[in-house]
Amino acid sequence: MRVPLSWLREYVDLPATETGRDVQAKLVSAGLEVETVEHLGADLKGPLVVGQVLTIEELEGFKKPIRFCTVDVGQANGTGEPQEIVCGARNFQVGDKVVVVLPGATLPGGFSISARKTYGKTSHGMICSGDELGMGDDGSHGIIVLPPETEIGKDAIELLELVDEVLDIAVTANRGDCLSIRGVAREAAIAYGLPLRDPALLDVPGPNAFGYPVQVSDPLGCDRFTARTVTGLSPEARSPLWLQRRLQKVGMRPISLAVDVTNYVMMELGQPLHAYDRTLVRGTIGVRRAEEGEQIVTLDGVERKLHAEDLVITDERGPIGLAGVMGGADTEIADHAEGEGTTDVVIEAAHFDAVSIARTARRHKLSSEASRRFERGVDPQAAAAAAQRTVDLLVLLAGGTAEAGVTEVVGPSAPHTISVPADHPDKVAGVSYGRETVVRRLQEVGCDVYGQDELIVTVPSWRPDLQDINDLAEEVIRLEGYENLPSTLPRPPAGRGLTHRQRLHRRAGRALAGAGYVEAPNYPFVSEQVFDQLGLEADDPARRVVRLTNPLNDEEPALRTSLLPGLLGALRRNDGRGSHDLALFETGLVFLPRPEQRVAAVLPVDRRPTDSEIAELDAALPEQPRHVAVVLAGAREQAGWWGKGRPADWADAVEAGRLVAREAGVELVVRGGQYGPWHPGRCAEFVVVVDGAETVVGHAGELHPRVVKAFGLPARSSAMELDLDVLEAVGDDTPQAPGISTFPVATQDVALVVDKFVPHAEVETALREGAGELLEGIRLFDVYENEEQLGDGKKSLAYALRFRAGDRTLTVDEASAARDAAVALAGERTGAVLRG
């Protein structure tokens, strides 16, 4: 809503020193969002005067029509001689009064005017159009032609009100009253503590039997309809300059006098109106719902097929307007022209149901200034005053006669009354306002207030958004100033903090970040075809997904059961954009459907749900364990002056799993495995013991070449995924201080020959168990294969065993005995023999 400050001052005596910025600050403090303050004519500098065209000479030989004019500007040019001006416009003639800018002036945009030679003539100034003066389009698409009575030499800046400030207000959907100068003036009067001169306080004649006949068949859709008639309008009458300028300032284009007057009153009072050419209306004006399939041609020239829920204005022929949205072309007011303008009009000022108008406007994709107001709430009591204001202006400006007949159809209604405790705003804001302040503020917005501790508040007709006690509390709080509310920090109860689960997730993320991984969160939506790309078996449980009823993307209608699809997509995108050395991780929920599908109950909103209702709701939700996953590609260690780099491989993915497990206080059992997207010969299986039984909690390794090709990934990409919730359940992350022995370590190296298919993990596990409590650490430092020395299908695994006792120095015999016991158990379990 654009509000010229000059128009606002007509209804509120704002201090003369108040600028648009000052008023903006006041209105913002009162709760209105004033987005900008536009300074019209800020860079405009005169002389800019009224002139009369004396002669016009058509210049020949140019690509476009050019005219050489002499214009009488009075004494404005200092000589009184006619001003010679070259102009290309065609919409004026000899004798017309025009706006002339003289040399030395500056037009909007910093355009300086000086005498210059053009088209073989010297032009001393310009004859101006509305666009050149920053006025906007007036419909003429040419220069401004002023009324004949305009005084020659008069200052056009003052005449056209070119200097002004315009507030641009973003009106929220609940404040339809502020889509008018009247509504904004009321807010400004409250903000400044000044009286309001309400433009709707007019002497309005009562309804009588002589008015234009109106039949309202749908009182729910239209609860008030006022009709007034004006006859004898001058066909040549034009909107005066002040009326045109006000419409332009609020963002509307002047059209014709009758239309301009209805638009002016709508912007002034907030009541949409419509003017019908009385000679084109046939019989009684009616208000009803449309019949399915009826058609109407609206004022924009579009033929529209009506819906049975559309509210329409009719005469005996059928629909002549979409109620509250746009009139019909059959009864359109004719523009002023010689002998062709409309002379008799019927003025409609009605109040329509907000929901019905909003649906009609959206159904026909036809938003108008009228529909914007009706769907946000219009003051029903202003209809008669708006009709009277329109009649008065038409009589004044077009020489018409107001007929005595007044039609007013009013449906049954009652004022809205709310009972509110006087201290309710205090409780909402946490501030003690007191009863007197509450009553005063509510009365300022137009409420009638009675009572002491319990207030009976009657809401004004122009505020349909005030529906309950909290709306009234908001009015008090905003007028007292949101900025005056004290700032208080909430006090959380002691002993609360992150849960054990949350702490584990954060530690896992920090550990992976510290190891060089970058977190890459992804959307939890997947397509079911992604499981084929991952190479999952047809009966794999991960293929059972939770499908969304209203997915954001029809191609991804399911919730993920693994983190890998999103991470692999992120890996592909980053690699495609030039980042080839990648290590990404994500911790997030996966969604596993329960064996029995349940329908979630709808919880009540008028009370807190019971524990059993919440439990029932939880039971209907899918299981949502939290997983952690990583993907790697490219170089894991960069090459440089320090030496050669190395590529990321399956071992890095396995180590990422071990890293996360250590944060959870879990020692993973790592062994060879085979699952879904991983290469069958380079896949590790992570196992933990839960209630005495081994449970697979994840996999890591190099991705299968088919998966790499399906996702468009770099060659030899690796990945890992773990179930964090299982690690949390079995782990003990209590910090353990390491025991430090002062006695020396004894190191024994062993090289064991085993079959190639025997995993290193099984050999290490046997060595660790066989060595007993004296073993402090074990490390595989060499893998050797040679058929000539070891035999066909054999490999050598070399381990460094570290032995230490906490209470003595170990002897060679004790260390050797522990080593032999370890080798013996490894030989028994894996067939390992000492090499050479």
Side-chain angles (χ1 to χ4, degrees):
M1 176 67 191
R2 291 170 57 86
V3 180
L5 194 58
S6 58
W7 197 351
L8 191 65
R9 290 182 183 275
E10 284 197 6
Y11 310 128
V12 184
D13 289 327
L14 299 174
T17 56
E18 288 293 281
T19 65
R21 293 291 184 188
D22 298 329
V23 178
Q24 177 189 29
K26 285 284 189 179
L27 293 179
V28 168
S29 177
L32 291 185
E33 184 182 352
V34 184
E35 293 187 322
T36 59
V37 178
E38 183 179 352
H39 298 269
L40 301 181
D43 51 356
L44 178 64
K45 178 185 175 183
L48 188 72
V49 298
V50 176
Q52 184 174 28
V53 180
L54 300 177
T55 65
I56 298 177
E57 177 188 351
E58 301 288 346
L59 302 181
E60 305 292 339
F62 300 103
K63 293 182 179 179
K64 61 179 181 178
I66 298 297
R67 312 169 93 184
F68 181 65
C69 310
T70 60
V71 184
D72 180 10
V73 295
Q75 296 299 318
N77 58 3
T79 64
E81 297 294 325
Q83 200 79 3
E84 296 179 339
I85 298 174
V86 175
C87 183
R90 313 291 297 176
N91 66 315
F92 66 98
Q93 56 191 357
V94 172
D96 282 346
K97 301 289 181 65
V98 295
V99 177
V100 179
V101 56
L102 300 176
T106 303
L107 294 183
F111 183 61
S112 298
I113 302 299
S114 60
R116 65 189 184 95
K117 189 171 184 179
T118 179
Y119 297 103
K121 301 285 186 177
T122 300
S123 180
H124 299 272
M126 287 175 53
I127 301 176
C128 297
S129 68
D131 285 335
E132 290 166 338
L133 297 179
M135 296 170 56
D137 180 21
D138 61 357
S140 66
H141 302 290
I143 61 97
I144 302 169
V145 178
L146 300 172
E149 64 273 12
T150 310
E151 178 185 350
I152 296 174
K154 184 178 179 61
D155 184 1
I157 295 179
E158 179 183 350
L159 176 69
L160 299 177
E161 301 178 12
L162 297 179
V163 178
D164 202 351
E165 293 182 281
V166 179
L167 310 177
D168 192 352
I169 303 175
V171 179
T172 55
N174 66 318
R175 292 302 305 272
D177 60 303
C178 287
L179 286 174
S180 66
I181 304 297
R182 178 196 184 200
V184 177
R186 183 181 293 109
E187 292 296 317
I190 296 172
Y192 279 93
L194 297 172
L196 169 70
R197 289 187 293 274
D198 192 343
L201 295 180
L202 301 175
D203 291 331
V204 180
N208 54 52
F210 309 107
Y212 198 93
V214 173
Q215 176 65 43
V216 177
S217 302
D218 190 341
L220 295 179
C222 175
D223 58 6
R224 185 178 293 266
F225 194 106
T226 300
R228 300 289 299 275
T229 304
V230 181
T231 60
L233 300 179
S234 172
E236 293 83 15
R238 298 176 55 189
S239 300
L241 285 175
W242 65 266
L243 180 59
Q244 294 185 45
R245 286 298 295 135
R246 286 197 169 176
L247 289 177
Q248 289 173 332
K249 289 177 184 180
V250 298
M252 303 190 76
R253 182 171 64 87
I255 299 174
S256 64
L257 177 60
V259 175
D260 291 349
V261 167
T262 58
N263 286 336
Y264 177 85
V265 175
M266 176 180 66
M267 302 307 296
E268 182 181 52
L269 302 182
Q271 168 67 51
L273 302 109
H274 189 70
Y276 301 93
D277 189 328
R278 185 177 181 180
T279 62
L280 300 178
V281 179
R282 301 288 184 263
T284 300
I285 293 178
V287 183
R288 61 170 172 84
R289 297 290 173 176
E291 296 178 7
E292 191 69 38
E294 279 189 305
Q295 294 184 341
I296 183 176
V297 178
T298 47
L299 289 174
D300 57 357
V302 177
E303 184 175 343
R304 302 181 186 277
K305 186 175 181 181
L306 300 178
H307 188 275
E309 292 185 4
D310 290 336
L311 195 66
V312 293
I313 310 298
T314 65
D315 63 6
E316 63 184 22
R317 296 168 299 178
I320 60 173
L322 274 176
V325 181
M326 185 174 286
D330 290 343
T331 57
E332 181 179 5
I333 297 290
D335 200 353
H336 61 269
E338 188 71 27
E340 296 182 4
T342 297
T343 59
D344 301 339
V345 297
V346 178
I347 306 299
E348 166 209 308
H351 184 262
F352 301 110
D353 176 61
V355 174
S356 176
I357 300 305
R359 288 177 176 173
T360 296
R362 284 156 180 74
R363 189 180 297 119
H364 294 281
K365 298 180 175 61
L366 184 61
S367 179
S368 64
E369 291 290 343
S371 68
R372 286 183 63 218
R373 284 161 175 79
F374 277 123
E375 64 191 39
R376 286 166 172 78
V378 169
D379 181 6
Q381 303 293 335
Q388 182 64 46
R389 176 72 164 144
T390 304
V391 168
D392 293 343
L393 286 173
L394 288 176
V395 170
L396 174 66
L397 301 177
T401 301
E403 289 194 350
V406 177
T407 302
E408 190 165 5
V409 180
V410 181
S413 63
H416 182 49
T417 300
I418 304 172
S419 178
V420 55
D423 62 347
H424 182 69
D426 300 5
K427 294 178 180 179
V428 173
V431 176
S432 179
Y433 292 123
R435 179 187 176 281
E436 291 184 2
T437 299
V438 172
V439 171
R440 175 171 56 84
R441 288 304 190 184
L442 292 179
Q443 289 175 339
E444 285 177 346
V445 299
C447 297
D448 291 330
V449 186
Y450 303 96
Q452 292 298 319
D453 295 337
E454 190 75 15
L455 303 179
I456 306 301
V457 180
T458 302
V459 175
S461 58
W462 58 82
R463 290 300 301 274
D465 59 305
L466 302 181
Q467 294 293 321
D468 57 37
I469 61 175
N470 289 321
D471 294 331
L472 299 179
E474 182 183 4
E475 290 300 296
V476 175
I477 295 169
R478 76 175 181 88
L479 294 179
E480 284 295 305
Y482 291 120
E483 68 277 8
N484 295 324
L485 293 176
S487 298
T488 57
L489 293 176
R491 296 182 179 180
R496 302 289 178 87
L498 297 178
T499 65
H500 182 268
R501 186 176 191 233
Q502 291 169 329
R503 288 196 297 270
L504 173 59
H505 299 162
R506 292 196 178 189
R507 287 203 311 274
R510 285 196 295 266
L512 289 172
Y517 291 84
V518 176
E519 188 171 14
N522 295 283
Y523 289 115
F525 313 116
V526 296
S527 66
E528 296 184 62
Q529 289 72 27
V530 77
F531 301 121
D532 296 328
Q533 295 177 299
L534 289 174
L536 300 185
E537 300 291 341
D539 59 348
D540 195 300
R543 285 183 175 269
R544 294 186 64 246
V545 295
V546 177
R547 293 179 179 83
L548 299 172
T549 303
N550 54 342
L552 297 178
N553 184 351
D554 291 337
E555 296 181 359
E556 296 179 333
L559 293 174
R560 65 190 179 191
T561 57
S562 167
L563 301 182
L564 288 183
L567 275 178
L568 295 179
L571 183 69
R572 179 185 64 249
R573 287 191 299 273
N574 283 275
D575 180 72
R577 293 169 183 171
S579 298
H580 303 301
D581 303 325
L582 296 163
L584 309 177
F585 83 94
E586 179 180 8
T587 61
L589 301 179
V590 298
F591 305 87
L592 309 177
R594 297 183 186 273
E596 295 183 6
Q597 294 291 338
R598 299 185 183 181
V599 178
V602 178
L603 298 181
V605 296
D606 58 342
R607 58 176 175 81
R608 186 187 186 283
T610 63
D611 292 342
S612 61
E613 288 173 332
I614 295 176
E616 184 179 355
L617 177 64
D618 289 340
L621 298 176
E623 296 181 7
Q624 301 176 53
R626 184 174 290 269
H627 284 198
V628 58
V630 305
V631 292
L632 304 102
R636 184 63 176 145
E637 295 179 3
Q638 296 287 342
W641 58 266
W642 51 85
K644 295 181 179 180
R646 69 171 183 85
D649 59 16
W650 61 268
D652 294 301
V654 173
E655 181 57 29
R658 284 196 173 110
L659 178 65
V660 173
R662 283 195 293 270
E663 292 296 327
V666 177
E667 186 67 32
L668 288 177
V669 176
V670 182
R671 62 192 183 196
Q674 185 172 344
Y675 178 70
W678 282 279
H679 193 296
R682 297 166 187 163
C683 174
E685 183 178 77
F686 295 139
V687 177
V688 296
V689 177
V690 181
D691 297 330
E694 290 188 344
T695 300
V696 177
V697 294
H699 295 82
E702 185 179 313
L703 295 174
H704 197 288
R706 286 196 296 269
V707 174
V708 169
K709 182 178 180 181
F711 280 92
L713 305 175
R716 309 299 292 270
S717 295
S718 301
M720 178 278 295
E721 184 166 11
L722 264 175
D723 189 328
L724 263 180
D725 284 358
V726 176
L727 295 184
E728 179 196 4
V730 301
D732 180 11
D733 57 359
T734 303
Q736 300 290 334
I740 300 176
S741 175
T742 59
F743 297 96
V745 65
T747 302
Q748 296 275 354
D749 293 342
V750 294
L752 304 177
V753 178
V754 296
D755 292 330
K756 282 187 177 181
F757 63 84
V758 175
H760 139 70
E762 293 185 10
V763 178
E764 180 181 316
T765 300
L767 289 172
R768 190 180 297 279
E769 293 183 15
E773 296 181 354
L774 295 179
L775 182 67
E776 182 181 74
I778 182 171
R779 179 174 61 88
L780 174 68
F781 67 86
D782 184 52
V783 179
Y784 176 70
E785 296 180 8
N786 188 309
E787 292 184 0
E788 294 182 0
Q789 297 185 14
L790 303 178
D792 187 21
K794 299 292 184 180
K795 64 180 178 182
S796 171
L797 303 177
Y799 295 90
L801 307 179
R802 291 169 57 90
F803 299 99
R804 193 192 316 252
D807 56 352
R808 66 188 187 280
T809 298
L810 291 178
T811 64
V812 174
D813 291 339
E814 287 177 310
S816 299
R819 179 202 61 193
D820 294 341
V823 172
L825 187 58
E828 179 182 337
R829 290 187 178 178
T830 66
V833 296
L834 282 172
R835 176 182 168 189

